[in-house]
């Protein structure tokens, strides 16, 4: 994530800000130039100081305080580049639903920031019925089946209860996870989507299997085995997380999520000019400075050389405040090699959605229906 500032008064801004607290300017995010911009009213439209040649209007979800992204005034779209992927949202007349959905949208918009920075394809299902991306954000209903967070052929479902901090922490403890966040859910599930797009449809199955293993193994049985027996004792030797051991699809999705964690955190570290040079450490192993654009890194080693010292420093700062480690994971060499595969895949040649003919049958490989985030406990009443 970049660091933003008001073009009118130079006040530092957060990605989600919609008003500058210093000068009072209305603010909006302009995805075409990847920046939060101060706005000047022009009738019912807005002129962005960061992109003054174009008139904008706000995404329709701004009325719910769920989005601060802008849409070009001459666009036929009502929703922004992120919100137009929503297929179902909860009943917003219920106060808790609205508050939880607003939290979900913050995480989803941050994920879309990364997807757009990486120039990854993000077609809607209207644009590409075969390869489109959509989201359902669902609340639990009485006498209805449990809402399962997961991915199924381009549709990502997220249980609204995951936006409740108490329920999410309850689920994290019950599932023995060191880390569980909304943005983590999004980054994991979008990994399944891009396995479909970039691996299966992109002709990378053999290369992916050489790194992550045989994805043709029975997925349902693999999950049952994982929940019954847990991860192997030596899982940290080869995987980024315990859940990554359950099946190659989950290994890919977990590694994809970690890649986005690393790249986006390094970008904000670069924006703040953060560097590490511990006084007690001998040599240069823990010296690091992010003097490059992580979203345009040339190879995975460039990212890891900065990430390992920085994550150690961030974990130490969190512990000083009595907080859990910000990045409670250890990256082994095999896990770094998997991150390298993701890096090369992301920066390689993407299969344009336009090359998938309408109505065409995709490669006959099973699509992962991920249910990795299903809470094992019922939400509190």
């Amino acid at each position: 994530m970049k660091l933003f500032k008001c073009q009118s008064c130079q006040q530092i801004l957060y990605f989600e800000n919609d008003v500058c607290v210093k000068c009072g300017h209305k603010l909006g995010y302009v995805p075409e130039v990847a920046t939060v911009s101060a706005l000047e009213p022009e009738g019912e439209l807005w002129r962005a100081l960061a992109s003054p040649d174009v008139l904008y209007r706000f995404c329709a979800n701004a009325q719910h305080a769920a989005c601060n992204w802008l849409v070009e005034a001459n666009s036929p779209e009502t929703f922004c580049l992120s919100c137009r992927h929503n297929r179902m949202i909860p009943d917003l007349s219920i106060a808790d639903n609205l508050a939880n959905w607003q939290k979900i949208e913050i995480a989803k918009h941050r994920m879309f920031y990364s997807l757009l920075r990486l120039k990854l394809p993000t077609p809607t299902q209207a644009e590409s019925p075969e390869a489109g991306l959509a989201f359902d954000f669902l609340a639990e209903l009485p006498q209805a089946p449990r809402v399962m967070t997961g991915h199924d052929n381009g549709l990502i479902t997220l249980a609204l209860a995951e936006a409740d901090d108490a329920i999410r922490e309850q689920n994290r403890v019950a599932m023995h996870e060191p880390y569980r966040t909304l943005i983590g859910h999004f980054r994991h599930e979008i990994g399944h989507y891009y396995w479909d797009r970039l691996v299966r449809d992109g002709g990378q199955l053999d290369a992916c299997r050489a790194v992550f293993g045989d994805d043709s193994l029975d997925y349902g049985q693999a999950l049952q085995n994982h929940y019954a027996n847990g991860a192997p004792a030596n899982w940290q030797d080869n995987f980024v997380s315990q859940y990554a051991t359950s099946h190659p699809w989950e290994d890919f999705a977990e590694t994809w999520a970690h890649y986005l964690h690393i790249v986006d955190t390094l970008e904000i570290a670069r924006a703040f000019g953060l560097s590490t040079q511990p006084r007690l450490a001998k040599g240069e192993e823990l010296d690091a400075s992010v003097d490059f654009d992580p979203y345009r890194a040339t190879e995975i080693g460039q990212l890891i050389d900065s990430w390992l010292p920085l994550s150690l420093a961030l974990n130490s700062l969190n512990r000083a405040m009595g907080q859990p480690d910000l990045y409670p994971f250890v990256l082994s060499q095999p896990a770094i090699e998997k991150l390298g595969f993701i890096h090369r895949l992301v920066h390689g040649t993407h299969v344009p959605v336009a090359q998938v003919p309408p109505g065409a049958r995709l490669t006959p490989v099973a699509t992962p229906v991920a249910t990795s985030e299903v809470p094992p406990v019922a939400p509190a009443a």
Side-chain angles (χ1 to χ4, degrees), residues 307-359:
W307 178 246
L308 295 181
L310 179 64
S311 61
L312 175 61
L314 292 174
N315 287 348
S316 299
L317 290 170
N318 267 29
R319 292 185 185 196
M321 286 294 294
Q323 294 293 323
D325 286 353
L326 181 137
Y327 188 73
F329 304 96
V330 175
L331 294 178
S332 65
Q333 188 57 41
I336 291 172
E337 291 173 2
K338 292 175 183 178
L339 286 165
F341 178 89
I342 300 294
H343 178 77
R344 294 188 296 274
L345 187 69
V346 164
H347 291 282
T349 302
H350 305 136
V351 177
V353 172
Q355 292 184 8
V356 181

Side-chain angles (χ1 to χ4, degrees), residues 23 52-53 88 129 139 175-176 186 193 223 234 256 258 269 307 309 348-349 357 381:
C23 70
D53 296 333
M88 294 183 66
M175 298 184 77
H176 308 290
F186 277 109
Y193 172 75
L223 287 190
N234 63 340
W256 179 283
H258 280 250
W307 178 246
T349 302

